[in-house]
């Protein structure tokens, strides 16, 4: 498997792709982090777990494959 960082000379076209990949990594990290520490604390204060915490307790480790992890809802209110 070739990793972009392993390629010594990268053309401008590929380096633009590298920026897209980095952006996707950042978006994925934000999705995994959830809505934020304040929202997580509020959920815990109500005696509830977050969705990811509930899934983790319900399923075997490594058995859950999230679909459309980067999808965002369109609710505005």
């Amino acid at each position: 498997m070739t990793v972009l960082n392993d390629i010594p000379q990268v053309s401008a076209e590929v380096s633009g792709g590298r920026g897209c990949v980095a952006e996707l990594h950042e978006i994925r990290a934000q999705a995994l982090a959830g809505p934020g520490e304040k929202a997580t604390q509020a959920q815990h204060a109500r005696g509830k777990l977050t969705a990811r915490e509930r899934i983790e307790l319900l399923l075997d480790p490594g058995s859950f494959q999230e679909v459309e992890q980067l999808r965002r809802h369109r609710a505005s209110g």
Side-chain angles (χ1 to χ4, degrees):
M1 181 169 133
T2 302
V3 179
L4 287 178
N5 293 336
D6 295 340
I7 301 172
Q9 293 180 353
V10 180
S11 68
E13 185 177 316
V14 174
S15 65
R18 183 183 291 167
C20 291
V21 171
E23 184 179 353
L24 284 174
H25 284 296
E26 184 178 327
I27 292 169
R28 178 174 284 143
Q30 289 172 354
L32 288 173
E37 187 63 32
K38 186 176 177 181
T40 301
Q41 287 177 356
Q43 187 79 341
H44 290 165
R46 291 189 294 257
K48 297 180 178 183
L49 298 172
T50 65
R52 291 188 194 283
E53 290 169 338
R54 292 190 302 266
I55 290 170
E56 190 175 303
L57 289 174
L58 182 64
L59 302 174
D60 292 332
S63 66
F64 179 70
Q65 294 295 316
E66 190 169 354
V67 177
E68 297 186 5
Q69 178 184 45
L70 304 180
R71 180 169 272 237
R72 295 185 179 157
H73 64 80
R74 290 191 246 169
S76 60

